[in-house]
Amino acid sequence: MRVYLIAAPEDQEEAEKLADYLKRFGVFIRSEFGQMAYPPAHHGEYTLALWSRNAMTSSRQMMITNRAIDAWEDGHLVMARLEHGLNPRGLADLDMVDLTFPSAREHRYHDVLNAIRALEDQRRAEARESLNMRAAADMAPLESQGGMQAVEDTFEDVRQPMKSAAPDVSLERRSSGGGLFGGFFAISLVALLAAGVAYGPGLWLKYGPSDIANETLKPFSAWVQSDWTIPAAIVGAPVGISLVLMILRGLSRGRSKRASPESEELEIDSFTAAPRASAPAPTMPVEAVPEPAQQPEIFVSYSHENSATVFPIVDSVESEGVSVWIDRDEMRVGQNWAGQIVRAIKASGRFCLMCSAQSYDSNNVRREVYLANKYDKAMVPILLDDAKMPDDIEFFLVDTQWLDLTKLDESERSAAIKELLVESEN
């Protein structure tokens, strides 16, 4: 496992103690405390953020928060609290490992390790689920249209000729005299050897140089006959029969091939152990590719405490034919809420922030504002009340066109919202 450790420079000593503990369990740690900006996370790397008063008051507070939000977006964030104090803006609603008691801190390091392992287990489970879903999606057209049965039928059509062809080949060889020819050929070889041993010396004695023959091969003279009838019969008969069988075998194979031209298609290739003539691939039904769903044009970020005010505004915008993405049901983390929020912001064309005292205090709204800025979304702030906007949110809304509903009558709001969100899109 790979972990990037971030903390305020004042907490570096404590961070190094925690890093040494994690390294003993095979965790690869990298950390930077003096950089002006944190480098991007590596693939599969988890971010471990230590939070304290030092981090809250540090000049790198915004940098630590933004890096933590990046890790939260990917589901790779583990936060540990070194002391009780101010909560990190935008992250206060997340669970943190409690390291607030110095005397028991080192005993709680194992909780940090378990939190990292839990994220690793979750990542692996999601990877397996993704592979299963992809495999199921690939097999769905086959199963829905009977394609799997067609494939099985095709394979059976291929296997059946292979099974039936193999016995036919062996029977053909036996019926064509291949085994008989082999037997006579062996007899011929034995006959040749026997004739050479029995009559060779005598023939040499009879027809060879008399001096050498009479002296060295005289004991074999009794075996020599007056002519070559016997050795010729012994040698020639098996050889002749073998040659005749070879000719008959060739003629028989030629006739069988001419009579059954399709037999060549059933002959098994010795290299591939598969039929040379492949069966045609099953024709799969072509399904119509569905048109991609229309992406939401506007992502609405708001506090659920302002639902009574926000929902009528959204309804009026949607009545103009503008697509809007809004969390009306207050999704929870257990329903993959973070992933849905991130994907919706990425797909949106503009980001509408419903500004109020409640939204300024919402950690969810702060994270959504940060993500909208990260993905370079055009921001459209709508002021619902006179609450003072925090500096860290106002920073993201510089040079944007605002709509202050507090300065408009009820009769004027609908036209102003339409002009800002609808007509400016055209």
Side-chain angles (χ1 to χ4, degrees):
M1 293 181 294
R2 303 170 62 91
V3 170
Y4 193 90
L5 178 58
I6 59 176
E10 295 82 0
D11 297 323
Q12 180 176 352
E13 181 178 356
E14 188 63 41
E16 290 176 348
K17 292 180 181 179
L18 177 56
D20 291 339
Y21 176 85
L22 296 176
K23 289 177 182 178
R24 298 204 302 265
F25 292 89
V27 180
F28 178 79
I29 301 288
R30 68 183 184 112
S31 59
E32 294 287 349
F33 303 104
Q35 298 292 329
M36 294 305 297
Y38 292 123
H42 292 165
H43 176 71
E45 184 178 58
Y46 304 102
T47 296
L48 173 57
L50 299 185
W51 196 256
S52 66
R53 289 182 180 271
N54 292 329
M56 190 66 194
T57 59
S58 172
S59 59
R60 296 180 176 84
Q61 182 268 333
M62 180 70 72
M63 183 177 65
I64 295 174
T65 301
N66 291 348
R67 176 56 188 271
I69 293 178
D70 282 339
W72 167 85
E73 174 189 355
D74 297 330
H76 289 176
L77 175 64
V78 174
M79 295 199 69
R81 190 194 305 275
L82 294 178
E83 58 183 317
H84 292 290
L86 298 175
N87 293 324
R89 293 179 177 177
L91 300 168
D93 60 328
L94 303 183
D95 294 332
M96 295 189 185
V97 180
D98 188 3
L99 302 177
T100 56
F101 297 100
S103 60
R105 182 169 293 165
E106 295 186 7
H107 297 287
R108 302 299 299 272
Y109 286 168
H110 195 70
D111 295 339
V112 177
L113 178 63
N114 288 338
I116 298 173
R117 287 174 172 172
L119 290 181
E120 177 70 7
D121 293 341
Q122 180 180 356
R123 183 188 67 82
R124 292 178 179 177
E126 291 175 352
R128 288 193 297 268
E129 182 180 359
S130 177
L131 290 175
N132 293 337
M133 293 177 62
R134 189 179 306 171
D138 293 340
M139 297 299 294
L142 299 178
E143 295 177 352
S144 61
Q145 300 296 332
M148 287 302 297
Q149 185 60 42
V151 173
E152 286 296 329
D153 293 343
T154 300
F155 285 152
E156 184 61 28
D157 293 341
V158 172
R159 288 193 294 263
Q160 191 60 36
M162 292 176 63
K163 296 177 181 178
S164 59
D168 293 344
V169 173
S170 61
L171 290 174
E172 181 187 359
R173 289 178 179 175
R174 287 195 295 269
S175 63
S176 62
L180 188 61
F181 165 76
F184 276 104
F185 187 77
I187 294 174
S188 300
L189 292 178
V190 173
L192 287 173
L193 292 175
V197 172
Y199 294 94
L203 293 174
W204 176 263
L205 179 63
K206 181 177 181 179
Y207 298 102
S210 59
D211 295 339
I212 301 175
N214 292 331
E215 296 296 331
T216 59
L217 301 178
K218 186 178 293 185
F220 300 97
S221 60
W223 296 351
V224 178
Q225 303 297 324
S226 60
D227 53 36
W228 288 16
T229 304
I230 295 176
I234 295 175
V235 176
V239 172
I241 294 174
S242 298
L243 291 175
V244 172
L245 289 176
M246 289 178 62
I247 295 173
L248 293 177
R249 182 189 181 198
L251 294 175
S252 175
R253 294 188 64 180
R255 286 194 302 270
S256 64
K257 287 184 178 181
R258 287 193 297 270
S260 303
E262 69 277 3
S263 62
E264 180 65 21
E265 299 179 359
L266 298 180
E267 187 173 350
I268 299 177
D269 195 326
S270 60
F271 291 98
T272 60
R276 291 179 179 177
S278 59
T283 303
M284 300 300 176
V286 179
E287 296 183 350
V289 178
E291 294 293 332
Q294 182 182 6
Q295 293 183 339
E297 296 291 338
I298 300 176
F299 180 96
V300 175
S301 177
Y302 74 108
S303 169
H304 286 273
E305 298 181 39
N306 302 131
S307 299
T309 304
V310 172
F311 288 171
I313 295 176
V314 172
D315 293 339
S316 65
V317 172
E318 290 180 327
S319 66
E320 297 292 337
V322 179
S323 179
V324 175
W325 195 99
I326 183 172
D327 172 22
R328 292 180 180 266
D329 301 324
E330 194 172 5
M331 294 178 299
R332 300 298 181 184
V333 177
Q335 301 171 328
N336 195 22
W337 163 77
Q340 294 185 49
I341 291 292
V342 173
R343 289 191 293 271
I345 293 177
K346 287 182 178 180
S348 64
R350 289 180 296 168
F351 180 87
C352 178
L353 175 61
M354 299 295 180
C355 303
S356 67
Q358 294 79 14
S359 63
Y360 298 151
D361 291 335
S362 171
N363 290 281
N364 296 338
V365 170
R366 288 178 179 272
R367 287 195 290 268
E368 291 166 1
V369 170
Y370 170 80
L371 292 173
N373 177 76
K374 175 183 177 180
Y375 295 112
D376 197 24
K377 302 300 178 181
M379 296 194 184
V380 182
I382 296 180
L383 303 183
L384 303 181
D385 57 28
D386 294 327
K388 184 180 184 305
M389 182 177 295
D391 295 339
D392 57 338
I393 292 183
E394 186 176 359
F395 172 81
F396 294 109
L397 302 178
V398 176
D399 298 330
T400 59
Q401 182 181 0
W402 296 25
L403 175 60
D404 190 353
L405 296 184
T406 63
K407 294 182 170 56
L408 298 176
D409 295 332
E410 290 288 342
S411 59
E412 300 174 333
R413 290 185 176 184
S414 178
I417 293 171
K418 178 180 178 181
E419 180 180 359
L420 179 65
L421 297 180
V422 179
E423 295 182 355
S424 61
E425 182 68 17
N426 299 330

